[in-house]
Amino acid sequence: MLIIMKTDAKPEEVDQVIDRIASVGLGAHLSQGEERVVIGAIGEGKVALQYQDLFIRMPGVDRIVPISRPYKLASREFSPQDTVFPLDGVSIGGQGIVIIAGPCSVESRNQTLEIAQAVKEAGAHALRGGAYKPRTSPYSFQGLGEVALEVLAEVREITGLPVVTEVMAPEQVPLVAHYADVLQIGARNMQNFTLLHAAGESQKPVLLKRGISATIEELLMAAEYILSHGNRRVILCERGIRTFETSTRNTTDINAIPVLKSLSHLPVILDPSHSTGHWQYVTAIARAAIAAGADGLIVEVHHNPEQALSDGAQSLKPERFAELVAQIKAIAQAIGRDLATPQTSATQIQIPLSQRVE
Ligand code: PEP
Ligand code: MN
């Protein structure tokens, strides 16, 4: 339930409510609005509501509002306003569309730097690149691990682009969080609950991908795990779901975008690369996502997709990515939005491309 404080509630009255929430074994989540404080008293199912009489007559309390959804902190009821937070100076979840782009996997320093510079020039706001790769086959390229994290950190220094990279196991969270700006939790790990707890505890922004066969409600419940640790910086990502259709790798659930936006206050982005699996369809579906209300995109880009160590078939060449960005800008403007303003603090040092990781 939500405990809505009066506009003139005193700080000590807020503290008394928080203490009482703790004393009945519920979690207290404070939300400081422009006019008043709202406190979420969160427990399982309808349990919290049993205690409403304990709070209604406390000094400073205006009213109690139940949260009807099973996910509480992720729900629009908890926060009618959109969650907006900065990614290295670029706001995500606000009016501006944020574009994250880069290779599926970090293959070498040279490859990552070259792609990062190209996507930055085209207007990307953040760099993606996998260091730990969840591959269907154990014989496929598994990622360069910590070496790749070092490459990403160095490329961030050079380009100024914040880094999004996947973390696959709870014990990897401290290491990945040390290098990355955003922790990606992949589709295959959306319900890895120990990983969700660890990502929540890390307090780093988390890009949470929808599971291959997960419902929208399951995605929001997964987000709730992260939020329940007080980590409010969660980005929801639709990346296509498994259906009977085989013409594309997955089926883009465009519906999920307006549905998530209405059920939750969290930023919602689309991954048109994994949702289609073919570079030919990526731009069309990216346009559709922005038209449908997505707050951003995560797109795979590679200079030489034929040689890519993972997901070459769905990777855009930099020139095509630049066209995508231009089209996204036009669509954003047509619906009263725009691309997010890129931050300008990048250090433009050119590093010789001959220094390779391998
Ligand atoms: C990826 O981003 O490269 C990836 C593996 O994505 P997903 O978890 O959506 O399959
Ligand atoms: Mn990929």
Side-chain angles (χ1 to χ4, degrees):
M1 68 187 148
L2 292 176
I3 300 169
I4 319 279
M5 301 302 289
K6 292 181 176 150
T7 48
D8 60 356
K10 300 186 186 73
E12 49 281 18
E13 291 169 343
V14 172
D15 288 344
Q16 282 161 9
V17 171
I18 291 172
D19 288 347
R20 189 165 291 183
I21 290 172
S23 75
V24 294
L26 298 173
H29 295 264
L30 201 74
S31 179
Q32 178 73 60
E34 268 170 32
E35 284 184 359
R36 56 172 90 221
V37 170
V38 174
I39 308 167
I42 308 296
E44 198 197 343
K46 294 201 166 66
V47 172
L49 268 183
Q50 296 169 5
Y51 296 106
Q52 59 179 319
D53 291 349
L54 285 180
F55 297 97
I56 192 69
R57 271 176 286 278
M58 286 185 77
V61 171
D62 184 9
R63 64 199 143 92
I64 308 281
V65 177
I67 301 179
S68 61
R69 307 280 179 188
Y71 42 88
K72 307 292 177 189
L73 303 170
S75 72
R76 270 269 174 223
E77 292 161 277
F78 177 69
S79 174
Q81 280 162 355
D82 286 343
T83 286
V84 182
F85 58 86
L87 274 188
D88 229 27
V90 176
S91 288
I92 176 127
Q95 203 257 355
I97 306 294
V98 171
I99 303 184
I100 305 162
C104 177
S105 300
V106 170
E107 298 169 10
S108 70
R109 176 182 182 280
N110 183 34
Q111 168 251 17
T112 307
L113 180 57
E114 217 177 322
I115 296 171
Q117 285 173 329
V119 299
K120 181 175 174 154
E121 201 177 310
H125 305 90
L127 174 68
R128 63 148 291 147
Y132 299 96
K133 296 303 302 176
R135 305 304 301 279
T136 303
S137 166
Y139 308 116
S140 302
F141 177 62
Q142 304 285 309
L144 295 177
E146 191 169 358
V147 170
L149 296 175
E150 285 167 5
V151 167
L152 289 166
E154 189 194 347
V155 170
R156 174 187 43 221
E157 284 303 305
I158 297 167
T159 61
L161 291 175
V163 162
V164 180
T165 195
E166 178 158 357
V167 56
M168 284 175 53
E171 57 275 14
Q172 279 173 358
V173 167
L175 179 73
V176 178
H178 174 70
Y179 289 100
D181 298 285
V182 178
L183 303 177
Q184 176 174 322
I185 295 187
R188 290 155 193 81
N189 265 321
M190 188 203 83
Q191 287 188 319
N192 180 339
F193 299 114
T194 34
L195 178 59
L196 296 172
H197 279 302
E201 272 169 19
S202 80
Q203 302 299 326
K204 276 266 171 179
V206 178
L207 192 165
L208 177 64
K209 290 188 146 195
R210 181 177 181 183
I212 290 167
S213 301
T215 63
I216 288 172
E217 186 167 297
E218 285 164 342
L219 171 61
L220 290 167
M221 292 305 286
E224 190 77 11
Y225 269 81
I226 301 165
L227 297 166
S228 69
H229 287 273
N231 185 349
R232 302 268 178 100
R233 295 182 294 172
V234 178
I235 303 164
L236 303 171
C237 180
E238 166 61 39
R239 48 76 74 204
I241 48 174
R242 178 74 56 92
T243 68
F244 52 80
E245 183 53 67
T246 53
S247 309
T248 49
R249 182 176 177 183
N250 290 294
T251 296
T252 309
D253 183 6
I254 284 288
N255 296 357
I257 294 164
V259 172
L260 285 168
K261 291 298 296 181
S262 76
L263 296 177
S264 179
H265 51 87
L266 295 169
V268 176
I269 68 169
L270 179 81
D271 175 343
S273 309
H274 291 85
S275 82
T276 63
H278 299 272
W279 70 264
Q280 291 91 333
Y281 310 134
V282 167
T283 303
I285 297 307
R287 291 195 304 256
I290 301 308
D295 299 304
L297 299 167
I298 179 165
V299 183
E300 288 185 338
V301 177
H302 202 287
H303 269 90
N304 192 356
E306 298 77 21
Q307 301 296 320
L309 296 182
S310 59
D311 287 349
Q314 65 194 33
S315 298
L316 291 182
K317 289 190 174 167
E319 315 79 79
R320 292 200 193 273
F321 174 69
E323 285 165 20
L324 174 149
V325 175
Q327 293 181 15
I328 292 310
K329 185 175 171 70
I331 302 236
Q333 289 173 342
I335 57 167
R337 299 180 79 170
D338 206 338
L339 294 182
T341 319
Q343 46 111 357
T344 50
S345 63
T347 38
Q348 287 288 358
I349 311 163
Q350 296 293 321
I351 298 283
L353 292 174
S354 55
Q355 298 169 27
R356 301 182 73 102
V357 163
E358 307 104 318

